[in-house]
Amino acid sequence: MSGGMPYGLQAMLKEGHQHMSGMEEAVFRNIEACKQLSTITKTSMGPNAQAQEQEIGDATNFVLAFAGELLSNAESLLRDGLHTSEVADGYSKAAAKALQVLETLIIKGSDKLDIRDKQAVAQRIRGAVSSKQYGFEDLLCPLIAQACIDVCPKNPNNFNVDNVRVIKITGSGAYNSSVVKGIVIKRDTEGTVKSVSDAKVAVFAQGVDTSSTETKGTVLIKNAEELQSYSQGEEDRMEQVIKGIADSGARVVVAGSAYGEMAMHFIEKYGMMALRLPSKFDMRRFCRATGATALVKLAAPQPDELGFAKSLALEEIGGTNVVVLQQDASQGQVSTVVLRASTDNTLDDLERAVDDGVNAYKALCKDARMLPAGGAPEIELCQQLQKFGRKETGLDQYAIAKFAESLEVVPRIIAENSGLNATDAVSSLHAAHANGQQTAGLNIETGQPKDLAEDGILDLYSAKWWALKLATDAVVTVLRVDQIIMAKQAGGPKPRQGAGDDED
């Protein structure tokens, strides 16, 4: 007799754990959690699907909405008696077929694109931008295209989205937004020198100030001469450092922390501009734009550690003082989109649209192929997968039919978010595609099917391909999980309650 001792899996887990297995406890719990997450993203930005964000930077909401719809339909199949493995296999088969069909929907001639043609690029990214900020695409697309082209390397495959920076300045209207070749820093200069041109730049990662020891020390001073010489020695040391920086040819000093009063006095004495960048990300971009090396020791920089600024000047934009670094095309590797709007919320929305546009440009650098927009590919895939499912003889056919049905979530969400009747919109799209209009998408202004390519609204093939693949992979993984183990919280002494705690 075991005497009530746990055995098997129970013996391996510590006391207080929860173990859920089987269809009701594990599978349906996972499906419900994923459906709740999907519901959030249908009507708002929601959290991002990380894999899609890293791979393409766009269509993250499509991944979550589509995955949620797949799981919702899988739940009804499981309650009808199908096994999770049969549903997962059917979904995998449908996804493989969908990716094959998707390739046949590519718009002919879209694979050819001059990645440095501002007008052509602006036309291609309209779909990504208008989905985030409808009505501003004509304004934002040329700005995004110009900013990306300015920093595009000789090999477009090496394009880095971090080289396009966005700065938001409240005031005026969105139509006063602009692009600066270089960096716009939302700070004032520290001293009286407000502008320099063709200047060398010294960058220090820490503050420019006298160093203090880690431990307290005591200095015994016996008379006034010793006191005077002590202070004079500190001043001489600081002047020696600042003079060394000036003698190296630097006319701009950039620090990552505060400037000391004595350091500022000597910086002013030698006529140098002082700039403070507390953000390490701003510091990194500034170094990339000027070619400088951030030094960790306060000393005169070597010639190869200095950067170069074509123009560095303080300007006022909408009542906000900003320092503008402008570079020649041969030097600068960073460009900035200066966004203007009357409220912070509008600026945040515009920034999201710019981020999507920049990521769309990155995807275009690798694969310029495009698809019809407005739910056209999804409805076409839906109809072709339904035909494919009817030819299957096993239980997979039910999962394939549900996969096809799930694709309708895209035009349905577009219709709901546009204030249209979703059922009528999806029905009219099905009718148009049944009549051979493969490129017919939903026109959100009229609610009728239309080839949106005529208006320059297109979808990225690579974004759609990865979204379908990643959503299906995630759903199949969730369906195959049939056990959940929730461990008890780790032990340890409980924190003391009430008063009497030590201050430190």
Side-chain angles (χ1 to χ4, degrees):
M1 295 290 290
S2 62
M5 291 293 290
Y7 60 92
L9 179 64
Q10 304 293 329
M12 298 169 61
L13 302 171
K14 66 192 222 179
E15 188 180 346
H17 73 277
Q18 281 183 279
H19 178 216
M20 293 168 280
S21 62
M23 194 71 73
E24 285 293 337
E25 286 194 326
V27 178
F28 288 144
R29 275 172 180 258
N30 284 333
I31 289 175
E32 189 59 35
C34 294
K35 279 165 59 181
Q36 293 297 329
L37 181 62
S38 170
T39 304
I40 296 169
T41 62
K42 287 182 184 179
T43 53
S44 64
M45 283 299 296
N48 286 334
Q50 290 183 351
Q52 179 76 6
E53 185 69 34
Q54 291 168 4
E55 196 64 44
I56 300 293
D58 194 11
T60 48
N61 286 354
F62 171 70
V63 172
L64 287 165
F66 181 52
E69 196 71 10
L70 284 175
L71 286 168
S72 182
N73 286 329
E75 186 177 7
S76 65
L77 290 174
L78 294 173
R79 293 194 187 280
D80 287 343
L82 266 71
H83 193 266
T84 50
S85 62
E86 291 164 344
V87 178
D89 290 343
Y91 277 179
S92 299
K93 193 179 290 186
K97 179 66 176 175
L99 295 178
Q100 288 177 14
V101 175
L102 193 67
E103 201 162 344
T104 66
L105 302 178
I106 294 170
I107 296 172
K108 290 180 181 177
S110 64
D111 57 329
K112 295 181 178 66
L113 172 68
D114 180 3
I115 212 69
R116 289 181 171 79
D117 183 344
K118 177 180 171 182
Q119 191 173 355
V121 169
Q123 192 74 6
R124 291 289 181 94
I125 63 177
R126 275 175 66 90
V129 174
S130 61
S131 66
K132 286 288 182 292
Q133 200 64 23
Y134 185 71
F136 284 97
E137 59 271 15
D138 290 332
L139 163 71
L140 292 176
C141 289
L143 294 177
I144 297 167
Q146 185 61 57
C148 293
I149 291 167
D150 283 345
V151 297
C152 186
K154 290 180 180 178
N155 181 1
N157 288 332
N158 295 331
F159 176 79
N160 184 1
V161 294
D162 196 41
N163 287 343
V164 179
R165 190 167 177 267
V166 177
I167 188 163
K168 301 173 288 186
I169 298 177
T170 309
S172 189
Y175 287 89
N176 287 329
S177 300
S178 59
V179 175
V180 175
K181 180 74 178 83
I183 291 183
V184 178
I185 302 159
K186 221 166 151 183
R187 298 189 70 85
D188 200 341
T189 57
E190 298 294 315
T192 58
V193 181
K194 300 298 181 184
S195 67
V196 294
S197 58
D198 296 325
K200 291 183 179 178
V201 182
V203 180
F204 298 96
Q206 77 287 359
V208 178
D209 199 358
T210 52
S211 57
S212 57
T213 56
E214 292 182 5
T215 56
K216 293 179 180 179
T218 303
V219 178
L220 186 61
I221 295 173
K222 296 179 180 177
N223 51 47
E225 287 77 12
E226 287 183 3
L227 177 61
Q228 193 171 4
S229 62
Y230 177 80
S231 301
Q232 189 63 44
E234 193 175 20
E235 285 183 27
D236 292 344
R237 168 65 186 146
M238 179 53 71
E239 184 173 12
Q240 183 183 348
V241 171
I242 302 299
K243 186 174 184 300
I245 295 171
D247 290 344
S248 70
R251 290 170 54 203
V252 180
V253 180
V254 179
S257 189
Y259 287 86
E261 290 183 9
M262 197 186 303
M264 276 307 306
H265 166 72
F266 290 116
I267 287 172
E268 289 287 301
K269 178 180 176 182
Y270 289 100
M272 293 188 288
M273 177 189 273
L275 186 62
R276 182 172 165 234
L277 294 179
S279 166
K280 63 180 180 181
F281 301 106
D282 284 346
M283 177 79 75
R284 196 178 303 156
R285 290 190 185 100
F286 188 89
C287 289
R288 193 184 304 140
T290 58
T293 302
L295 305 173
V296 294
K297 183 181 178 184
L298 186 60
Q302 298 298 317
D304 60 333
E305 294 170 336
L306 290 170
F308 179 81
K310 180 72 178 172
S311 169
L312 194 61
L314 181 72
E315 296 181 13
E316 186 176 342
I317 301 177
T320 303
N321 285 336
V322 296
V323 176
V324 179
L325 166 69
Q326 292 183 313
Q327 295 285 57
D328 289 337
S330 58
Q331 297 157 347
Q333 291 298 317
V334 178
S335 63
T336 304
V337 180
V338 181
L339 293 176
R340 305 297 308 282
S342 54
T343 65
D344 289 336
N345 285 341
T346 307
L347 284 170
D348 291 341
D349 288 342
L350 290 173
E351 183 184 21
R352 277 195 289 270
V354 171
D355 286 343
D356 268 20
V358 173
N359 280 304
Y361 182 86
K362 177 188 174 184
L364 284 171
C365 288
K366 296 179 180 178
D367 188 351
R369 291 177 292 177
M370 306 298 288
L371 292 169
E378 286 80 11
I379 294 294
E380 188 61 29
L381 286 174
C382 174
Q383 294 195 351
Q384 296 209 29
L385 284 174
Q386 283 175 343
K387 293 176 186 175
F388 172 68
R390 284 194 286 268
K391 295 176 184 176
E392 291 291 310
T393 55
L395 292 172
D396 295 348
Q397 60 179 305
Y398 300 107
I400 294 171
K402 289 293 186 183
F403 188 97
E405 185 185 319
S406 301
L407 287 162
E408 293 179 356
V409 72
V410 175
R412 186 175 291 113
I413 291 174
I414 293 173
E416 287 173 354
N417 289 349
S418 306
L420 302 171
N421 186 309
T423 306
D424 292 347
V426 173
S427 300
S428 61
L429 283 176
H430 271 296
H433 281 257
N435 291 330
Q437 300 177 39
Q438 281 194 344
T439 57
L442 182 64
N443 185 342
I444 62 172
E445 293 181 353
T446 64
Q448 298 302 313
K450 181 185 178 183
D451 184 359
L452 298 177
E454 297 171 3
D455 298 334
I457 305 293
L458 301 168
D459 271 349
L460 282 166
Y461 167 75
S462 54
K464 196 75 71 178
W465 192 94
W466 278 105
L468 284 169
K469 185 178 187 311
L470 292 169
T472 310
D473 288 350
V475 169
V476 169
T477 302
V478 169
L479 288 173
R480 292 192 190 280
V481 174
D482 61 355
Q483 291 193 60
I484 302 173
I485 298 171
M486 296 168 62
K488 189 177 91 171
Q489 280 192 342
K494 292 182 180 179
R496 284 181 290 177
Q497 303 291 327
D501 292 347
D502 294 334
E503 289 183 0
D504 55 350

